[in-house]
Amino acid sequence: LVVHGVDYEGFLQPLLDTAGGEETVIEVSKGVRLHSGIQDEQTMDPHVWLDPTNVIVYVDNIREGLTQFDPDGEEVYQTNASAYIDQLTELDAWINGQVAQIEPKRRVLVTNHEAIGYFAERYGFIVVGAIIPSFSSGSSPSAQQMADLIEQIKLYEAPAIFLDAS
């Protein structure tokens, strides 16, 4: 079973306990340096995949886990992992090239929820706020939080709010 980790699948362990039997669990985010939240420093940001270099860690963890589970497939896992890591490295270089076209003072992000910290750190953006100051898009901001966000948007002259599919 391949899982993200960082308590992202908090529902999973009780299900596995109930199911019984044996399982092999590969935690893909193992070894990634995690960020804590702006509002809650005890909660870790699970959105690790938004930095392609972190996804390379995922790929290595998956390759290692699959190889331990199925040693006979090691060559295939290594070949596939290497090919995907090459694609991720190219993606990282492409993003860096795109970001280089943006003036550093304009590298300002406002999002719908705290989801883009790893991307921002990797590519030199400043996250000045989130509409929902939480890692979960199921939360709601207070009127004061919205007023504070509006002030941040004005202060940093943020040109846009970036929303994800949720």
Side-chain angles (χ1 to χ4, degrees), residues 9 22 30 36 39 42 44-45 57 86 94 97 120 124 136-138 148 151 156 164-165:
E9 298 93 354
E22 294 182 35
K30 181 181 174 189
S36 60
Q39 299 293 323
Q42 302 304 312
M44 302 314 289
D45 182 353
V57 174
D86 287 347
W94 180 83
S136 168
S137 59
D148 292 344
E151 289 307 312
Y156 285 92
D164 64 18

Side-chain angles (χ1 to χ4, degrees), residues 8 25 39 61 63 66 76 83 99 106 113 125 141 149 154 157 159:
Y8 199 70
V25 178
Q39 299 293 323
N61 287 335
R63 178 198 42 77
L66 291 175
V76 171
V99 170
R106 302 280 293 165
H113 72 286
F125 285 87
L149 177 61
K154 289 177 182 176
E157 298 177 351

Side-chain angles (χ1 to χ4, degrees), residues 35-151:
H35 297 172
S36 60
I38 295 169
Q39 299 293 323
D40 176 7
E41 293 191 15
Q42 302 304 312
T43 303
M44 302 314 289
D45 182 353
H47 302 91
V48 179
W49 61 87
L50 292 174
D51 174 347
T53 63
N54 287 339
V55 179
I56 291 172
V57 174
Y58 284 24
V59 173
D60 284 334
N61 287 335
I62 293 168
R63 178 198 42 77
E64 177 71 23
L66 291 175
T67 298
Q68 286 180 7
F69 182 74
D70 175 27
D72 293 339
E74 180 176 11
E75 185 177 330
V76 171
Y77 303 136
Q78 182 60 49
T79 299
N80 290 340
S82 293
Y84 192 42
I85 288 170
D86 287 347
Q87 290 177 351
L88 291 165
T89 302
E90 289 174 20
L91 174 62
D92 182 55
W94 180 83
I95 294 170
N96 272 310
Q98 298 302 303
V99 170
Q101 298 174 47
I102 303 169
E103 290 180 64
K105 70 178 184 175
R106 302 280 293 165
R107 296 180 191 166
V108 175
L109 297 174
V110 178
T111 62
N112 61 316
H113 72 286
E114 291 183 27
I116 204 154
Y118 295 96
F119 178 90
E121 180 181 335
R122 176 74 183 150
Y123 300 110
F125 285 87
I126 298 171
V127 179
V128 299
I131 295 170
I132 303 169
S134 170
F135 295 130
S136 168
S137 59
S139 301
S140 298
S142 69
Q144 183 61 55
Q145 288 169 322
M146 287 301 296
D148 292 344
L149 177 61
I150 291 167
E151 289 307 312

